[in-house]
Amino acid sequence: MLGAIMTHDAAVVKAREIANRVLTPSAGKNDKAGQFSTEAVVSLGESGLLGLMLPTDAGGLGLGPRTFAAVIATLAEADASVAMVYLMHILGSAIISAARPGTAQALAPILKEISAGRHLSTLAFSEAGSRSHFWAPISRAYRNGDGVRISAKKSWVTSAGHAQSYVVSALAPEGKGPTDSTLYLLAADTRGLLVAGPWDGLGLRANASSPIALDDCQVPSHFQLTDDGAGFPAMLNLVLPLFNLGTAAVALGLCRAAVAGTAAHLKSAKFEHLGQSLGESLPTLRAQLATMQIDTDGLSARIDDLIDHLEKPRETTMLRVLETKAAAGDVAISVTSAAMRVCGGAAFSKHLNVERLFRDAHAGAVMAPTGDVLREFIGKSLLGIPLF
Ligand SMILES: Cc1cc2nc3c(=O)[nH]c(=O)nc-3n(C[C@H](O)[C@H](O)[C@H](O)COP(=O)(O)OP(=O)(O)OC[C@H]3O[C@@H](n4cnc5c(N)ncnc54)[C@H](O)[C@@H]3O)c2cc1C
């Protein structure tokens, strides 16, 4: 199977099969317990999907942003925590795969392990000191022999303690400005790398987004992924478009699940004294469900437009990248809030999964670049004001 050709449709079918067999039965339980789904990662690995965007000569599937978004939306419909783990992994893999030429020999075995489904990666950018401004790390790499040493307080790292590697940002040793960063790869067993606390979030409770502390970690030069100071362009050109597309796809999956969950409730819950279901009885609920569907399909169209821009880059591409995540965060909150209202006490008392969707949906807008920051960037770029 590995290294074999897989079409877009086959990848989405595999994601659907894993979602139905592994994610749906355990999503509620894992959310409640704040339990990371190792089983989901194993299934994604066995299916070949961990190597989705890696080149075929590294054993990957060589698929593009269209499949990436469809797979993520499919996973998120069942369990947004797993979809987020998968998203961060694909981004980590993309950076490893695009690393500077001198690292090829050292990184080839890692790329093979990813393609074989045995290696999960993630991004460790955000820091306690610069908060959501992930493009400006406070930590700095210091030269030490054939490499660097890094100490840092990484404030949220999805898959912390479960990933086999972390793509870490730090200011370049000779970096002068706040965005003169470099990206490095740290193996999970690097001495001095520690998961520094529990993860007990409001939403995405099953994705282990704990802080990580780096205490004087030695990183050899063959694990320096970008040139000195070239971390920022990699964040902007490689990470940002895929991250924004992926988080929008998570939002879409949440919206689709909210529409389906709400429709199911409106059909099954009864006013026995009237001899009607809720949906049959109340036009106001039908109207709210319709608005949820309209907003969900609007988000889907927006995501398709972004994919088109990524496949055929043009002048408006970066604007679409910024707009899509900002819009998706709002739509997910609005659609899942409507689901809570329409499903009433049943949702509020956690009898329905829409309550988990509502909590998970709130993560999208606070994950950096946050919805506010995206609006700042869009507004500034419309007015010709420099972004950084
Ligand atoms: C579930 C989850 C998983 C995460 N996983 C990862 C991960 O794997 N790797 C990683 O690196 N990070 C990760 N993060 C961190 C995330 O990307 C953000 O850095 C973090 O959520 C920022 O929170 P904060 O309180 O520090 O934000 P703050 O920076 O304190 O922001 C507070 C408020 O100020 C607003 N704000 C900030 N700056 C501006 C501005 N310039 N203009 C307008 N408004 C502004 C924000 O929108 C927000 O409303 C994760 C976060 C969450 C919640």
Side-chain angles (χ1 to χ4, degrees):
M1 170 58 59
L2 294 174
I5 292 168
M6 196 187 289
T7 62
H8 167 90
D9 288 347
V12 180
V13 166
K14 273 191 188 296
R16 174 72 60 202
E17 187 275 321
I18 293 169
N20 291 341
R21 179 174 52 83
V22 183
L23 274 53
T24 301
S26 57
K29 185 169 49 90
N30 288 341
D31 168 66
K32 203 164 190 172
Q35 167 97 30
F36 183 92
S37 178
T38 305
E39 202 191 351
V41 174
V42 168
S43 298
L44 289 164
E46 286 170 351
S47 69
L49 292 177
L50 288 190
L52 186 86
M53 294 186 79
L54 292 184
T56 47
D57 59 12
L61 301 178
L63 291 164
R66 185 171 296 278
T67 314
F68 165 72
V71 165
I72 287 188
T74 303
L75 298 176
E77 249 180 279
D79 187 340
S81 283
V82 172
M84 208 65 220
V85 166
Y86 183 70
L87 161 58
M88 298 311 270
H89 163 78
I90 295 292
L91 289 173
S93 310
I95 298 176
I96 299 168
S97 168
R100 66 203 178 105
T103 57
Q105 206 184 343
L107 297 179
I110 294 175
L111 293 173
K112 287 235 154 61
E113 282 295 286
I114 293 174
S115 300
R118 293 188 290 264
H119 186 115
L120 184 74
S121 196
T122 190
L123 305 182
F125 288 175
S126 305
E127 297 197 356
S130 49
R131 309 188 68 88
S132 61
H133 299 188
F134 65 89
W135 55 86
I138 303 297
S139 64
R140 183 180 291 279
Y142 291 94
R143 298 214 183 278
N144 185 47
D146 172 40
V148 294
R149 295 187 87 86
I150 305 176
S151 293
K153 285 184 183 158
K154 296 294 179 181
S155 41
W156 282 271
V157 183
T158 293
S159 307
H162 298 274
Q164 276 70 43
S165 67
Y166 300 88
V167 174
V168 166
S169 56
L171 285 173
E174 290 81 29
K176 302 259 184 293
T179 60
D180 292 340
S181 63
T182 306
L183 302 183
Y184 301 90
L185 186 69
L186 270 70
D189 60 2
T190 302
R191 213 162 133 189
L193 186 158
L194 278 179
V195 176
W199 168 242
D200 185 14
L202 172 78
L204 297 184
R205 291 178 47 75
N207 79 352
S209 292
S210 286
I212 280 205
L214 307 181
D215 182 12
D216 214 15
C217 291
Q218 175 72 29
V219 187
S221 63
H222 55 255
F223 277 179
Q224 180 182 328
L225 299 174
T226 64
D227 288 332
D228 287 322
F232 180 62
M235 288 176 182
L236 220 57
N237 301 324
L238 187 57
V239 177
L240 188 68
L242 278 183
F243 180 74
N244 283 13
L245 173 63
T247 47
V250 172
L252 179 61
L254 285 165
C255 290
R256 284 181 175 155
V259 170
T262 303
H265 183 66
L266 293 187
K267 280 200 235 170
S268 64
K270 302 268 187 277
F271 283 130
E272 288 183 20
H273 61 298
L274 301 176
Q276 286 183 321
S277 68
L278 282 185
E280 286 166 336
S281 187
L282 294 172
T284 170
L285 300 186
R286 294 196 293 272
Q288 289 183 77
L289 177 66
T291 302
M292 289 166 63
Q293 178 69 48
I294 293 165
D295 290 348
T296 301
D297 285 340
L299 175 58
S300 178
R302 191 183 272 286
I303 288 173
D304 283 344
D305 175 57
L306 173 57
I307 292 167
D308 187 63
H309 274 77
L310 294 178
E311 287 175 345
K312 289 171 262 160
R314 43 204 188 264
E315 209 182 314
T316 43
T317 298
M318 189 44 92
L319 188 58
R320 293 293 191 278
V321 166
L322 302 176
E323 288 171 349
T324 302
K325 179 177 183 288
D330 291 350
V331 171
I333 289 174
S334 155
V335 168
T336 57
S337 300
M340 288 296 290
R341 200 165 55 244
V342 172
C343 296
F348 192 81
S349 333
K350 304 187 181 180
H351 296 152
L352 305 173
N353 77 340
V354 297
E355 177 269 340
R356 169 169 54 84
L357 307 174
F358 171 78
R359 286 185 286 103
D360 286 352
H362 280 73
V366 301
M367 290 185 78
T370 69
D372 299 315
V373 166
L374 289 165
R375 282 182 174 72
E376 258 291 274
F377 286 174
I378 293 166
K380 278 182 171 171
S381 73
L382 289 174
L383 297 175
I385 301 169
L387 301 196
F388 297 97

